[in-house]
């Protein structure tokens, strides 16, 4: 394995923790910042919108939409494999509760409500007037109770618990034969590209006929709940076996070629759905074809990014630890800050270009400042945002 960094093995049956996953997590969260800022200006429905929209935004955002969250789930799966470490199952579950469930609840009552307020700001005299409606516990959009972008944390909490038996198995010696067989199947370019993609496709063909819409509401979102869960599991599985992990990086050129080529029919069908080009097929057939291609785009792009990250980003940096410590609070805060700042910036007579970069930059600065000033120094805030609490040092001379 190239550029192996000095670190301990995460398990006898696993591979060493690699800096590339930390860098990719940073990149993925940065993509989310620009993606959610773009939601102010593209034609898709969102919480608030600029008075002028741009069709050009949809064409780069439709591609990012297919793999930005799957990439985070894949990385989270690898991280979850590592998180069990030397913990018992009970210790692991308690750690997941503190790191995921506590921030979710805190976010639903503190971080998310401002998003709903700015969406309906004209209906209330003040934020205090609005905030009372949160405690009616009427789910959004009919009411003001929601987890909005924190659906990712909710789903990740359940994924972590549901995958626990499989995780314990993977980290045991009993899994050696299983991991060897999986590695043999997935170590070729065709195997790592097609086997997971087809497996994901089969689940979606079955489930989307019953749950066609992506709601992020958990109880009626079983198709997409399963879709993201599989990326989480494949991240865990790929990270558990060194030979498989190495093969992903070694096959990066083939993965990139496949990812580029699948974009050709993906965008062709998308342009048909936008009535820019026309094929001699029905709208329903084109839409179905696009949905199938989107699944392949999701997996191909994720595994390609992982492969190139493994090859080029497996390098330590003195700031990397600090970046990654702040990423989780940044994720929790970023959409609320985008909406709060965007509400006022979108009222200015500026160009879309100026508004996009102003909102992006001010959101970045605001979230970083909030993290360093109000979250990082205080244990209570660290706990509420899912960070490790700092241990108090004792003066031994006393």
């Amino acid at each position: 394995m190239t550029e192996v960094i000095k670190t301990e093995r995460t398990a006898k049956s696993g591979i060493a923790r690699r800096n590339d996953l930390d860098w990719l997590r940073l990149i993925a969260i940065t993509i989310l910042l620009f993606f959610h800022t773009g939601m102010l200006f593209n034609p898709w429905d969102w919480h608030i919108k600029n008075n002028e929209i741009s069709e050009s935004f949809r064409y780069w955002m439709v591609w990012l939409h297919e793999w930005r969250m799957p990439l985070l789930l894949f990385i989270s799966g690898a991280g979850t494999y590592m998180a069990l470490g030397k913990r018992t199952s009970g210790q692991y579950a308690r750690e997941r509760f503190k790191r995921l469930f506590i921030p979710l609840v805190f976010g639903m009552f503190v971080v998310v409500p401002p998003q709903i307020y700015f969406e309906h700001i004209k209906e209330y005299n003040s934020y205090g007037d609005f905030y009372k409606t949160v405690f009616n516990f009427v789910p959004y959009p009919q009411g003001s109770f929601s987890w909005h972008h924190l659906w990712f944390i909710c789903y990740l909490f359940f994924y972590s618990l549901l995958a626990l038996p499989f995780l314990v198995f993977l980290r045991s010696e009993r899994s050696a034969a299983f991991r060897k067989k999986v590695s043999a199947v997935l170590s070729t370019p065709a195997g790592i590209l097609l086997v997971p993609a087809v497996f994901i496709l089969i689940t979606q063909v079955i489930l989307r006929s019953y749950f066609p819409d992506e709601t992020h509401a958990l109880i009626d979102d079983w198709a997409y709940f399963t879709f993201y869960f599989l990326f989480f599991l494949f991240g865990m599985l790929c990270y558990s076996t060194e030979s498989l992990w190495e093969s992903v990086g070694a096959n990066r050129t083939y993965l990139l070629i496949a990812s580029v080529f699948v974009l050709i029919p993906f965008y062709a069908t998308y342009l048909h759905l936008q009535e820019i080009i026309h094929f001699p097929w029905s709208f329903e057939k084109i839409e179905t074809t696009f949905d199938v291609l989107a699944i392949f785009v999701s997996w191909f792009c994720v595994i390609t990014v992982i492969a190139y990250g493994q090859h080029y980003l497996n390098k330590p940096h003195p700031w990397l630890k600090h970046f990654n410590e702040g990423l989780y609070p940044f994720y929790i805060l970023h959409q609320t800050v985008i909406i709060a700042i965007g509400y006022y910036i979108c009222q200015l007579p500026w160009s879309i270009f100026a508004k996009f970069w102003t909102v992006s930059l001010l959101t970045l600065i605001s979230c970083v400042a909030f993290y360093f000033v109000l979250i990082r120094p205080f244990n209570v805030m660290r706990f509420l945002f899912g960070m490790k609490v700092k241990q108090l040092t004792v003066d031994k001379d006393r």
Side-chain angles (χ1 to χ4, degrees), residues 50-229:
N50 189 45
N51 54 1
E52 178 187 2
I53 60 175
S54 172
E55 289 290 331
S56 64
F57 273 71
R58 72 159 78 237
Y59 296 109
W60 60 269
M61 291 181 68
V62 70
W63 172 63
L64 284 181
H65 175 69
E66 300 303 337
W67 62 270
R68 59 190 176 89
M69 297 310 294
L71 175 62
L72 271 179
L73 266 302
F74 186 100
I75 295 171
S76 297
T80 299
Y81 178 86
M82 200 163 40
L84 184 60
K86 297 180 181 179
R87 298 179 178 93
T88 66
S89 297
Q91 290 171 333
Y92 164 84
R94 287 192 293 272
E95 188 269 344
R96 295 288 91 180
F97 181 86
K98 289 192 295 183
R99 184 161 172 76
L100 298 172
F101 189 77
I102 296 297
L104 173 64
V105 174
F106 172 75
M108 291 175 68
F109 285 100
V110 178
V111 179
V112 170
Q115 299 182 35
I116 304 172
Y117 169 68
F118 280 106
E119 184 177 348
H120 300 284
I121 192 169
K122 296 180 180 179
E123 301 173 18
Y124 300 97
N125 296 322
S126 66
Y127 184 74
D129 185 33
F130 155 79
Y131 191 67
K132 299 174 185 177
T133 65
V134 174
F135 294 92
N136 294 331
F137 299 109
V138 178
Y140 177 89
Q142 288 75 25
S144 305
F145 192 63
S146 175
W147 49 53
H148 271 34
H149 69 294
L150 303 185
W151 69 266
F152 171 76
I153 299 176
C154 174
Y155 282 32
L156 188 56
F157 174 68
F158 283 103
Y159 293 161
S160 298
L161 298 182
L162 288 172
L164 184 54
F166 182 58
L167 177 59
V168 172
F169 169 71
L170 279 182
R171 294 187 66 95
S172 71
E173 295 297 335
R174 294 181 292 111
S175 68
F178 169 77
R179 287 185 290 104
K180 184 177 180 179
K181 291 179 181 178
V182 169
S183 181
V185 172
L186 300 183
S187 290
T188 64
I192 194 61
L193 284 168
L194 297 178
V195 173
V198 171
F199 188 80
I200 295 169
L201 175 62
I202 292 171
T203 67
Q204 297 307 291
V205 168
I206 296 171
L207 291 173
R208 288 192 194 181
S209 60
Y210 300 99
F211 307 98
D213 299 322
E214 185 174 5
T215 67
H216 298 157
L218 186 63
I219 58 174
D220 61 354
D221 194 34
W222 299 119
Y224 286 92
F225 181 90
T226 303
F227 174 77
Y228 291 118
F229 188 35

Side-chain angles (χ1 to χ4, degrees), residues 37 40-41 50-52 57 341-342 344-362:
T37 302
L40 295 168
F41 309 104
N50 189 45
N51 54 1
E52 178 187 2
F57 273 71
I341 293 175
Y344 296 103
I345 296 297
C346 285
Q347 297 180 45
L348 299 175
W350 296 355
S351 68
I352 289 178
F353 179 85
K355 290 180 180 180
F356 175 84
W357 288 109
T358 299
V359 173
S360 298
L361 181 60
L362 289 179

